[in-house]
Amino acid sequence: MAKLEILEFPDPRLRTVAKPVAQVDDRTRQLVDDMFETMYAAPGVGLAASQVNVHERVVVIDVSEDQSQPMVFINPEVTVLDEGTLRPYDEGCLSIPGFYETVERPEKVRVNALDRDGKPFELEPDGLLAVCIQHELDHLNGKLFVDYISPVKRQRIRKKLEKQHRLRA
């Protein structure tokens, strides 16, 4: 396994729309393993392949406290089950380190995806897992949680991260 580099906002590569995985094979499974290693080391609870500059529809998630419930979503499709019920969550992101903002998302969704072995499955999560899936699916579509906040806040975050990037360079 290998720890991958996580792209950080405002890197334009984060805006790339991911392509479906044509076939789940050893290369895909290696990507999944590397993404889990990267996510756990960060530490985070979710990571989309787009965040590690692989523009394929692959997401890994583990919302457990002890990293005991790894979940893989390949080519995930989400259906909102309660359009009218939006719930606010404080979201953070490995690609926007150190910043948290309140985002309203549907509380209950259905997700259809392939697992690590390419087998289809369906899940109806709610709460944190539902939010995390929606957040990571946004990444696959070139969208970030800062797109849900005001332009003023988004610009403030952009400037602070750009300054941090200059200081690290």
mmCIF file of all heavy atoms in Angstrom, residues 66-87:
data_model
loop_
_atom_site.group_PDB
_atom_site.id
_atom_site.type_symbol
_atom_site.label_atom_id
_atom_site.label_comp_id
_atom_site.label_asym_id
_atom_site.label_seq_id
_atom_site.Cartn_x
_atom_site.Cartn_y
_atom_site.Cartn_z
ATOM 1 N N ASP A 66 -13.206 3.592 15.553
ATOM 2 C CA ASP A 66 -11.992 2.784 15.637
ATOM 3 C C ASP A 66 -11.517 2.227 14.284
ATOM 4 O O ASP A 66 -10.763 1.262 14.241
ATOM 5 C CB ASP A 66 -12.207 1.628 16.625
ATOM 6 C CG ASP A 66 -13.366 0.729 16.205
ATOM 7 O OD1 ASP A 66 -14.043 1.028 15.202
ATOM 8 O OD2 ASP A 66 -13.600 -0.281 16.901
ATOM 9 N N GLN A 67 -11.967 2.841 13.199
ATOM 10 C CA GLN A 67 -11.558 2.445 11.842
ATOM 11 C C GLN A 67 -11.870 0.977 11.570
ATOM 12 O O GLN A 67 -11.092 0.269 10.929
ATOM 13 C CB GLN A 67 -10.071 2.736 11.623
ATOM 14 C CG GLN A 67 -9.727 4.188 11.796
ATOM 15 C CD GLN A 67 -8.246 4.483 11.642
ATOM 16 O OE1 GLN A 67 -7.406 3.604 11.647
ATOM 17 N NE2 GLN A 67 -7.918 5.759 11.498
ATOM 18 N N SER A 68 -13.029 0.518 12.026
ATOM 19 C CA SER A 68 -13.390 -0.892 11.910
ATOM 20 C C SER A 68 -14.485 -1.161 10.884
ATOM 21 O O SER A 68 -14.904 -2.307 10.730
ATOM 22 C CB SER A 68 -13.844 -1.417 13.276
ATOM 23 O OG SER A 68 -15.035 -0.748 13.674
ATOM 24 N N GLN A 69 -14.970 -0.107 10.210
ATOM 25 C CA GLN A 69 -16.078 -0.291 9.274
ATOM 26 C C GLN A 69 -15.767 0.321 7.913
ATOM 27 O O GLN A 69 -16.483 1.204 7.432
ATOM 28 C CB GLN A 69 -17.351 0.314 9.854
ATOM 29 C CG GLN A 69 -17.799 -0.350 11.130
ATOM 30 C CD GLN A 69 -18.930 0.406 11.804
ATOM 31 O OE1 GLN A 69 -19.451 1.379 11.282
ATOM 32 N NE2 GLN A 69 -19.314 -0.046 12.978
ATOM 33 N N PRO A 70 -14.689 -0.132 7.253
ATOM 34 C CA PRO A 70 -14.351 0.429 5.943
ATOM 35 C C PRO A 70 -15.413 0.078 4.904
ATOM 36 O O PRO A 70 -15.895 -1.052 4.857
ATOM 37 C CB PRO A 70 -13.009 -0.234 5.619
ATOM 38 C CG PRO A 70 -13.009 -1.503 6.398
ATOM 39 C CD PRO A 70 -13.783 -1.211 7.652
ATOM 40 N N MET A 71 -15.802 1.072 4.133
ATOM 41 C CA MET A 71 -16.804 0.879 3.080
ATOM 42 C C MET A 71 -16.240 1.403 1.773
ATOM 43 O O MET A 71 -15.581 2.448 1.747
ATOM 44 C CB MET A 71 -18.089 1.628 3.435
ATOM 45 C CG MET A 71 -18.703 1.201 4.755
ATOM 46 S SD MET A 71 -20.196 2.132 5.136
ATOM 47 C CE MET A 71 -21.340 1.238 4.101
ATOM 48 N N VAL A 72 -16.529 0.698 0.702
ATOM 49 C CA VAL A 72 -16.061 1.071 -0.629
ATOM 50 C C VAL A 72 -17.280 1.294 -1.517
ATOM 51 O O VAL A 72 -18.215 0.482 -1.520
ATOM 52 C CB VAL A 72 -15.168 -0.041 -1.235
ATOM 53 C CG1 VAL A 72 -14.753 0.313 -2.655
ATOM 54 C CG2 VAL A 72 -13.948 -0.286 -0.355
ATOM 55 N N PHE A 73 -17.253 2.390 -2.264
ATOM 56 C CA PHE A 73 -18.328 2.728 -3.193
ATOM 57 C C PHE A 73 -17.691 3.001 -4.559
ATOM 58 O O PHE A 73 -17.007 4.012 -4.734
ATOM 59 C CB PHE A 73 -19.080 3.980 -2.727
ATOM 60 C CG PHE A 73 -19.723 3.831 -1.375
ATOM 61 C CD1 PHE A 73 -18.997 4.082 -0.212
ATOM 62 C CD2 PHE A 73 -21.053 3.446 -1.259
ATOM 63 C CE1 PHE A 73 -19.582 3.947 1.035
ATOM 64 C CE2 PHE A 73 -21.639 3.312 0.001
ATOM 65 C CZ PHE A 73 -20.911 3.563 1.145
ATOM 66 N N ILE A 74 -17.899 2.096 -5.499
ATOM 67 C CA ILE A 74 -17.387 2.278 -6.858
ATOM 68 C C ILE A 74 -18.589 2.577 -7.749
ATOM 69 O O ILE A 74 -19.616 1.892 -7.691
ATOM 70 C CB ILE A 74 -16.626 1.025 -7.331
ATOM 71 C CG1 ILE A 74 -15.421 0.779 -6.412
ATOM 72 C CG2 ILE A 74 -16.190 1.172 -8.787
ATOM 73 C CD1 ILE A 74 -14.703 -0.529 -6.642
ATOM 74 N N ASN A 75 -18.463 3.630 -8.563
ATOM 75 C CA ASN A 75 -19.554 4.111 -9.418
ATOM 76 C C ASN A 75 -20.840 4.366 -8.621
ATOM 77 O O ASN A 75 -21.926 3.930 -9.012
ATOM 78 C CB ASN A 75 -19.834 3.131 -10.563
ATOM 79 C CG ASN A 75 -18.664 2.985 -11.505
ATOM 80 O OD1 ASN A 75 -17.803 3.866 -11.598
ATOM 81 N ND2 ASN A 75 -18.595 1.876 -12.213
ATOM 82 N N PRO A 76 -20.729 5.082 -7.487
ATOM 83 C CA PRO A 76 -21.925 5.298 -6.663
ATOM 84 C C PRO A 76 -22.938 6.220 -7.335
ATOM 85 O O PRO A 76 -22.575 7.170 -8.024
ATOM 86 C CB PRO A 76 -21.356 5.964 -5.404
ATOM 87 C CG PRO A 76 -20.132 6.669 -5.891
ATOM 88 C CD PRO A 76 -19.563 5.783 -6.972
ATOM 89 N N GLU A 77 -24.200 5.887 -7.133
ATOM 90 C CA GLU A 77 -25.316 6.727 -7.571
ATOM 91 C C GLU A 77 -26.201 6.940 -6.350
ATOM 92 O O GLU A 77 -26.574 5.976 -5.684
ATOM 93 C CB GLU A 77 -26.107 6.054 -8.693
ATOM 94 C CG GLU A 77 -25.318 5.853 -9.977
ATOM 95 C CD GLU A 77 -24.895 7.152 -10.644
ATOM 96 O OE1 GLU A 77 -25.612 8.169 -10.486
ATOM 97 O OE2 GLU A 77 -23.847 7.152 -11.317
ATOM 98 N N VAL A 78 -26.537 8.198 -6.078
ATOM 99 C CA VAL A 78 -27.328 8.531 -4.897
ATOM 100 C C VAL A 78 -28.703 9.042 -5.308
ATOM 101 O O VAL A 78 -28.822 9.855 -6.226
ATOM 102 C CB VAL A 78 -26.598 9.588 -4.024
ATOM 103 C CG1 VAL A 78 -27.520 10.140 -2.954
ATOM 104 C CG2 VAL A 78 -25.367 8.982 -3.389
ATOM 105 N N THR A 79 -29.713 8.558 -4.614
ATOM 106 C CA THR A 79 -31.075 9.040 -4.767
ATOM 107 C C THR A 79 -31.500 9.621 -3.422
ATOM 108 O O THR A 79 -31.378 8.949 -2.390
ATOM 109 C CB THR A 79 -32.034 7.886 -5.131
ATOM 110 O OG1 THR A 79 -31.546 7.232 -6.293
ATOM 111 C CG2 THR A 79 -33.441 8.395 -5.366
ATOM 112 N N VAL A 80 -31.970 10.860 -3.430
ATOM 113 C CA VAL A 80 -32.449 11.488 -2.197
ATOM 114 C C VAL A 80 -33.831 10.927 -1.881
ATOM 115 O O VAL A 80 -34.710 10.888 -2.743
ATOM 116 C CB VAL A 80 -32.501 13.029 -2.357
ATOM 117 C CG1 VAL A 80 -33.126 13.676 -1.132
ATOM 118 C CG2 VAL A 80 -31.112 13.577 -2.609
ATOM 119 N N LEU A 81 -34.024 10.478 -0.644
ATOM 120 C CA LEU A 81 -35.287 9.870 -0.237
ATOM 121 C C LEU A 81 -36.201 10.829 0.504
ATOM 122 O O LEU A 81 -37.377 10.538 0.678
ATOM 123 C CB LEU A 81 -35.018 8.636 0.640
ATOM 124 C CG LEU A 81 -34.267 7.503 -0.053
ATOM 125 C CD1 LEU A 81 -34.012 6.361 0.924
ATOM 126 C CD2 LEU A 81 -35.016 7.011 -1.276
ATOM 127 N N ASP A 82 -35.665 11.955 0.979
ATOM 128 C CA ASP A 82 -36.509 12.919 1.690
ATOM 129 C C ASP A 82 -36.128 14.329 1.253
ATOM 130 O O ASP A 82 -35.491 15.065 1.970
ATOM 131 C CB ASP A 82 -36.408 12.736 3.204
ATOM 132 C CG ASP A 82 -34.990 12.892 3.735
ATOM 133 O OD1 ASP A 82 -34.051 12.944 2.925
ATOM 134 O OD2 ASP A 82 -34.828 12.978 4.964
ATOM 135 N N GLU A 83 -36.554 14.670 0.050
ATOM 136 C CA GLU A 83 -36.208 15.953 -0.570
ATOM 137 C C GLU A 83 -36.409 17.145 0.358
ATOM 138 O O GLU A 83 -35.628 18.071 0.366
ATOM 139 C CB GLU A 83 -37.045 16.170 -1.838
ATOM 140 C CG GLU A 83 -36.754 15.207 -2.947
ATOM 141 C CD GLU A 83 -35.625 15.636 -3.848
ATOM 142 O OE1 GLU A 83 -35.214 16.797 -3.789
ATOM 143 O OE2 GLU A 83 -35.161 14.780 -4.604
ATOM 144 N N GLY A 84 -37.486 17.121 1.140
ATOM 145 C CA GLY A 84 -37.833 18.281 1.942
ATOM 146 C C GLY A 84 -37.098 18.393 3.267
ATOM 147 O O GLY A 84 -37.184 19.421 3.930
ATOM 148 N N THR A 85 -36.384 17.346 3.670
ATOM 149 C CA THR A 85 -35.737 17.370 4.973
ATOM 150 C C THR A 85 -34.242 17.587 4.828
ATOM 151 O O THR A 85 -33.494 16.653 4.547
ATOM 152 C CB THR A 85 -35.994 16.046 5.732
ATOM 153 O OG1 THR A 85 -37.388 15.780 5.731
ATOM 154 C CG2 THR A 85 -35.489 16.121 7.156
ATOM 155 N N LEU A 86 -33.829 18.834 5.002
ATOM 156 C CA LEU A 86 -32.410 19.150 4.978
ATOM 157 C C LEU A 86 -31.942 19.296 6.411
ATOM 158 O O LEU A 86 -32.639 19.891 7.239
ATOM 159 C CB LEU A 86 -32.143 20.447 4.216
ATOM 160 C CG LEU A 86 -32.463 20.430 2.719
ATOM 161 C CD1 LEU A 86 -32.173 21.799 2.118
ATOM 162 C CD2 LEU A 86 -31.678 19.362 2.002
ATOM 163 N N ARG A 87 -30.777 18.751 6.691
ATOM 164 C CA ARG A 87 -30.250 18.853 8.044
ATOM 165 C C ARG A 87 -28.869 19.485 7.993
ATOM 166 O O ARG A 87 -28.043 19.103 7.163
ATOM 167 C CB ARG A 87 -30.176 17.453 8.651
ATOM 168 C CG ARG A 87 -29.705 17.496 10.074
ATOM 169 C CD ARG A 87 -30.088 16.263 10.820
ATOM 170 N NE ARG A 87 -29.455 16.351 12.134
ATOM 171 C CZ ARG A 87 -29.122 15.331 12.860
ATOM 172 N NH1 ARG A 87 -29.370 14.123 12.439
ATOM 173 N NH2 ARG A 87 -28.549 15.493 14.025
#
